[in-house]
Amino acid sequence: MNQDQSTHGSSTAEASTAAHPRLGADVRYRRLAGETVVVRQQAGEVLVLDEIGGRILEWVDRGVMQGRGLGHLIASLQQEFDVSSQQLEADVREFLHQLQDAGVLEPRREARRGDVEEPPGAPQGGER
Amino acid sequence: MWSQLIRRSWEENRLFSVLLELTYRCNWDCAFCYNDLGLRGTPLSLGQYFDLLDELRELGVLNLVLTGGEPLAHPEFLEIGERAREGGFVIRLKSNAHALRGRLAREVKERVDPFVVEVSLHGATAEVHDRQTRVPGSFERLLANLAELRSLGFRLKMNSVLTIWNQHQIADMFALADRLGVPLQIEPEVSPRDDGDRSPLDLSPTQEGIRELFSIVAERTRAAAPSPAGRAGEAAAGGAEPIAEQASTDRTEVDAVPRKHCGAGSSAVAIDPFGNVYPCVQWRRAAGNLHHRPLAEIWRRSPVLEEVRELTVEVTRRLDGLGADVARRMAFCPGAAEQAGGDPLAVYPAARQRVAAHRAVERPAVRSLPIVGVGSAGQPSVAKAPGA
Ligand SMILES: C[S@@+](CC[C@H](N)C(=O)[O-])C[C@H]1O[C@@H](n2cnc3c(N)ncnc32)[C@H](O)[C@@H]1O
Ligand code: SF4
């Protein structure tokens, strides 16, 4: 997995300044081979995300997006998908909204570009 | 979705659920407790628990059961629990809840934040409950603590073991659970002690007691069942799925018949306070010790776990020979079988007793069907069971 290496690529102004969500406090997840199991403890619900979805969730959890901006993630994904960065960005935004609607992510109130915040409990390593 | 995940982890030998018996210390003294208080060894240190939790996360474990003994009696429970929360585990805390009040309760909520706290209820009255726990006042204290835990926002569940002492209170226990708004699960089988001592079985319920339990549970299940239209509506809604109440390794949780009977040693292990690793809390064949080897190595290399994985396949084969209905009613546990008679494939008395109790409960319904021969065709004799 190479998501941490791909820091180059263009990020749109909108993407880099967007307020980034964070993992809900009651959410637990594990990345397994090819998929990610997400448990919303309060609702007592489980969701399964595919490989890319799990990777995006982990990025959010690790504070990578908040630190380096959505554009960083888009650039990383663009290396793997043959679609425009605009399309990718729209897809990722849509996915983040879906996760918020599902209660997996919650808005981060004071998101400032440049903050690198590791939320308590954020996984430190790569594949888990 | 959840059940499929669990089933896949059985097939792929992917560790998904770990049960930690943190200590055998306890502030209750239950007359039937299965814990082997004579077991000796070096307890795992806090550092070893931290390393273990890191390792479990690396291995992809999601479900973590913290139990004992009384897990809250471990002097470093909060540190271990907090580390587990930080590691992103879905934590089930199994506790008698006697100490879970006031500041400790608040700290457990804030620092450990378990998915569920499972507490033990042993009767519907103080007289019966306290007789079993051998701690006067434990019933009243449990009720008070449950109210407090509820107000703190804990998800709660009650577990009970049916015994000769409480079997006359089954309906009252369910009524109490309903009043408290806490789900109750009553286990119909008293297990021997982990060292093989069978004295807990002196408190085993009678056949009539088990039958009454099954009958009441069947009635409650019928009453609670949603209408077929409701179920279709739920399915159509799609999306997230309720997580199983218990991170069980039980075959009844999966929707298609898998190759393996259960996840013992295939997706789950239990670890005692001294670092001994077992395929399941009930299958006490030591597969290794964490003082000598890291869990990942035991998981990959232990001949005991390899054999257990094969045995769980063999159990399925044997049970299939008995017919699906008998197998389901029996709730066969190879660990219990091994403990009962040394053979993990042999049907043991308690399993036979369950089938008989189920039959007794179901018989009136079968008789009322205007179809000749259903009763016998669907219910091959338990006497044909392997090792019976
Ligand atoms: C060993 S206790 C540990 C957690 C905690 N101390 C408690 O009692 O809830 C875990 C569960 O095992 C049950 N249990 C203890 N001894 C048993 C036995 N001999 N047979 C069946 N269940 C037993 C308890 O009632 C409890 O629900
Ligand atoms: S409270 Fe739990 S650990 Fe303690 S004696 Fe009772 S069953 Fe055993």
Side-chain angles (χ1 to χ4, degrees), chain B residues 162-165 167 188-191 200-206 353:
Chain B
L162 194 65
T163 66
I164 188 88
W165 289 346
Q167 63 177 21
E189 215 171 294
V190 178
S191 317
L201 304 193
D202 294 346
L203 290 190
S204 290
T206 63
Q353 218 180 356

Side-chain angles (χ1 to χ4, degrees), chain B residues 28 32 120-133 138-140 142-143 158-163 165-174 176-177 179-180 184 186:
Chain B
W28 284 2
F32 59 92
S120 289
L121 176 79
H122 294 302
T125 58
E127 189 195 359
V128 171
H129 178 95
D130 295 359
R131 180 183 188 195
Q132 221 153 281
T133 66
S138 57
F139 180 75
E140 290 304 330
L142 176 63
L143 295 191
M158 295 195 292
N159 294 320
S160 190
V161 187
L162 194 65
T163 66
W165 289 346
N166 66 21
Q167 63 177 21
H168 62 291
Q169 292 196 326
I170 301 169
D172 294 338
M173 284 162 74
F174 278 116
L176 173 63
R179 275 201 305 282
L180 295 170
L184 168 67
I186 303 183

Side-chain angles (χ1 to χ4, degrees), chain B residues 23-35 67-71 95-96 120 122 132-133:
Chain B
T23 176
Y24 288 152
R25 277 183 231 169
C26 191
N27 43 4
W28 284 2
D29 181 24
C30 299
F32 59 92
C33 183
Y34 60 61
N35 284 162
T67 181
E70 175 48 42
S95 163
N96 61 33
S120 289
H122 294 302
Q132 221 153 281
T133 66

Side-chain angles (χ1 to χ4, degrees), chain B residues 62-284:
Chain B
L62 182 61
N63 291 320
L64 189 72
V65 182
L66 301 179
T67 181
E70 175 48 42
L72 298 172
H74 190 290
E76 287 152 333
F77 172 80
L78 284 171
E79 287 79 1
I80 296 169
E82 185 169 42
R83 181 76 163 218
R85 181 185 63 72
E86 288 170 359
F89 295 97
V90 174
I91 301 168
R92 275 167 61 208
L93 173 59
K94 288 175 80 107
S95 163
N96 61 33
H98 198 71
L100 206 44
R101 62 204 318 221
R103 181 159 164 218
L104 180 60
R106 287 194 301 277
E107 284 209 81
V108 169
K109 182 73 185 137
E110 277 160 28
R111 294 172 63 180
V112 184
D113 192 20
F115 169 64
V116 63
V117 179
E118 295 189 18
V119 307
S120 289
L121 176 79
H122 294 302
T125 58
E127 189 195 359
V128 171
H129 178 95
D130 295 359
R131 180 183 188 195
Q132 221 153 281
T133 66
R134 298 195 284 209
V135 173
S138 57
F139 180 75
E140 290 304 330
R141 178 134 156 185
L142 176 63
L143 295 191
N145 287 2
L146 282 174
E148 189 174 333
L149 294 175
R150 168 149 271 216
S151 71
L152 287 171
F154 282 99
R155 179 194 304 273
L156 300 170
K157 182 184 177 225
M158 295 195 292
N159 294 320
S160 190
V161 187
L162 194 65
T163 66
I164 188 88
W165 289 346
N166 66 21
Q167 63 177 21
H168 62 291
Q169 292 196 326
I170 301 169
D172 294 338
M173 284 162 74
F174 278 116
L176 173 63
D178 291 344
R179 275 201 305 282
L180 295 170
V182 179
L184 168 67
Q185 184 174 339
I186 303 183
E187 168 62 42
E189 215 171 294
V190 178
S191 317
R193 221 167 56 197
D194 286 340
D195 62 359
D197 182 329
R198 306 180 69 74
S199 58
L201 304 193
D202 294 346
L203 290 190
S204 290
T206 63
Q207 184 70 16
E208 290 70 41
I210 299 174
R211 204 184 310 147
E212 185 176 352
L213 172 63
F214 288 172
S215 160
I216 290 175
V217 168
E219 187 49 48
R220 287 173 62 86
T221 307
R222 262 195 300 275
S227 69
R231 249 182 263 139
E234 276 168 34
E241 174 183 280
I243 187 174
E245 279 263 323
Q246 304 194 40
S248 168
T249 54
D250 184 338
R251 188 187 193 197
T252 54
E253 257 192 21
V254 299
D255 43 15
V257 178
R259 229 167 44 91
K260 289 179 180 169
H261 173 69
C262 65
S266 294
S267 79
V269 291
I271 301 174
D272 77 16
F274 311 111
N276 296 304
V277 178
Y278 308 95
C280 167
V281 68
Q282 197 141 3
W283 201 342
R284 313 291 294 198

